[in-house]
Amino acid sequence: MVLIAPSTVKHHAPPVPADTLLIHGEADDVVPLSASMDWARPQALPVVVVPGAGHFFHGQLVLLKSLVVRNFAE
């Protein structure tokens, strides 16, 4: 499973499988990075942070695609 900037603030986010890829933008102003970290921490779920990226990853879609494809290639 791949989650990209999931809503971990306004909605209850249930636990996810251990092999889930969570990608979050460092400068996300919709879902704060700290909220996703707080949600991921009890699950020991790694979080890939894209430096400078906002919630919609403007200008970072090629990188975002690369991260997702690389995850499924493994």
Side-chain angles (χ1 to χ4, degrees):
M1 176 185 303
V2 175
L3 298 174
I4 300 172
S7 178
T8 55
V9 177
K10 295 181 182 180
H11 306 285
H12 170 70
V16 294
D19 62 347
T20 298
L21 173 62
L22 174 57
I23 304 172
H24 203 95
E26 176 188 28
D28 191 328
D29 60 348
V30 176
V31 179
L33 175 58
S34 61
S36 289
M37 295 298 291
D38 290 345
W39 174 75
R41 192 174 297 110
Q43 302 176 71
L45 187 66
V47 178
V48 175
V49 178
V50 178
H55 187 71
F56 296 102
F57 293 85
H58 295 295
Q60 301 290 331
L61 295 181
V62 173
L63 173 59
L64 190 59
K65 176 184 173 183
S66 172
L67 292 169
V68 172
V69 168
R70 191 177 336 161
N71 180 72
F72 285 113
E74 296 173 358

